Amino acid sequence: MADEQTEAPDSTAVRTALWRAMHVQVDPPPHVVEDEIGLQLAAPGDGWRDRPDMDPHATSAFRAAIVARARFIEDLIAEQADRGVTQYVILGAGLDTFAQRKPESASRLQVFEVDQPGSQAWKRHRLIELGYGIPDWLHLVPVDFEANEDWLKQLAAAGLDSSRPAVIVSTGVTMYLTKDAIAATLRQIAAIAPGSTLAMTFLLATDLVDEADRSGLRASEEGARVSGTPFISFYTPQEMLALAHEAGFKDAHHVSGVSLAQRYFADRTDSLRPSSGEDLLLATT
């Protein structure tokens, strides 16, 4: 629409997309995820690999963690689609490129990307500009979280059928929200149709992070604070599981970053391994 206000994605979303591209460009195969489309969308300019946060050695563990969680989510989507689930919701979609990289898989689903209106308008423009377009099964759902818009109502207006199971994913978001806000979100998701699955990342409390990774976590915290998006919430796995059960989920499981390292990196001959610090909640209604 001509009057849409576009707003470039935040620095965290761009950094995540660039790390996924770096994995393809600097790490030897096999690649955990192959994604250079996020780089195309972000279009950071010729010198992007010279940025300090793109140092191929200093940031390798963070890069590995990003591609590990992306692969876990894509494996989950494939598994749930094989079970007949046809709705996939991405909360805080950022520069997610599943729909563009895996169109054969994605077109079996109704994919709903939820994000701030300005960011969604920007992404819509870039997808069209790059020739990917917006297929009928991809729904870019603008939700003004700062104005407390009801994201479930917006999803329903975009075509989500709350009577049918869905996979709902939220990665790299919880650290920016209060625990009350996260608890409210969990209650909303728990009320979606039985058989739905939630995958949500969360940051571990600092004392649970491997000693070798703590300085990196502190640097990330400082960078987030300086950019105006400070980390607010950290959890123990037990706290996150308790929140899920209190919200009404039937089952809830903790997926550790260590388990993702074992799953996706165990046979690598290089030293690439994910950092600790971010784990996942996997819960079903």
Side-chain angles (χ1 to χ4, degrees):
M1 295 175 59
D3 59 350
E4 276 187 319
Q5 296 297 307
T6 64
E7 181 179 328
D10 65 35
S11 59
T12 302
V14 172
R15 184 181 303 113
T16 298
L18 299 187
W19 275 343
R20 292 198 300 261
M22 282 283 287
H23 177 54
V24 177
Q25 295 188 8
V26 306
D27 297 324
H31 296 123
V32 179
V33 166
E34 295 187 0
D35 180 11
E36 293 182 279
I37 295 178
L39 170 62
Q40 293 177 36
L41 288 170
D46 292 340
W48 69 274
R49 295 231 337 226
D50 297 328
R51 290 168 38 162
D53 60 352
M54 292 297 125
D55 183 290
H57 303 293
T59 64
S60 65
F62 296 114
R63 180 170 73 246
I66 289 297
V67 297
R69 81 182 187 193
R71 174 64 178 272
F72 177 83
I73 296 301
E74 293 192 3
D75 287 351
L76 174 67
I77 296 304
E79 172 190 290
Q80 293 298 309
D82 287 343
R83 293 178 178 176
V85 175
T86 60
Q87 301 185 111
Y88 174 29
V89 178
I90 310 169
L91 298 178
L95 293 175
D96 189 276
T97 60
F98 170 71
Q100 292 75 47
R101 289 182 297 107
K102 301 285 186 72
E104 291 186 5
S105 300
S107 61
R108 299 166 59 194
L109 308 166
Q110 293 295 309
V111 180
F112 301 85
E113 295 192 10
V114 179
D115 215 328
Q116 292 280 6
S119 298
Q120 286 290 51
W122 178 91
K123 188 172 186 181
R124 180 183 298 275
H125 172 76
R126 290 292 292 148
L127 287 172
I128 293 170
E129 189 174 50
L130 291 171
Y132 292 104
I134 314 294
D136 292 343
W137 44 263
L138 176 60
H139 312 273
L140 302 185
V141 185
V143 176
D144 190 345
F145 295 105
E146 294 175 1
N148 295 315
E149 279 192 348
D150 187 334
W151 59 272
L152 272 177
K153 185 180 293 185
Q154 297 293 90
L155 276 171
L160 182 77
D161 184 348
S162 61
S163 69
R164 291 168 48 228
V167 177
I168 302 97
V169 167
S170 172
T171 59
V173 174
T174 58
M175 69 280 279
Y176 302 112
L177 304 176
T178 66
K179 294 190 176 184
D180 286 344
I182 294 166
T185 299
L186 288 172
R187 287 193 296 270
Q188 289 176 297
I189 296 171
I192 293 176
S196 296
T197 301
L198 166 69
M200 175 181 278
T201 61
F202 61 94
L203 285 186
L204 294 172
T206 306
D207 60 344
L208 298 179
V209 177
D210 291 347
E211 183 70 35
D213 295 330
R214 290 181 186 176
S215 62
L217 177 60
R218 294 189 192 100
S220 296
E221 283 187 74
E222 177 62 15
R225 186 190 63 78
V226 169
S227 65
T229 54
F231 295 168
I232 297 172
S233 298
F234 299 83
Y235 294 89
T236 66
Q238 293 76 16
E239 286 174 327
M240 186 56 78
L241 290 172
L243 274 178
H245 286 300
E246 290 165 8
F249 283 93
K250 183 175 69 176
D251 295 302
H253 303 279
H254 166 230
V255 180
S256 69
V258 172
S259 71
L260 297 187
Q262 293 169 343
R263 182 181 304 191
Y264 300 122
F265 294 83
D267 295 330
R268 295 189 68 91
T269 57
D270 59 6
S271 60
L272 186 67
R273 296 293 184 276
S275 61
S276 61
E278 183 179 68
D279 286 3
L280 284 122
L281 167 70
L282 188 64
T284 55
T285 58

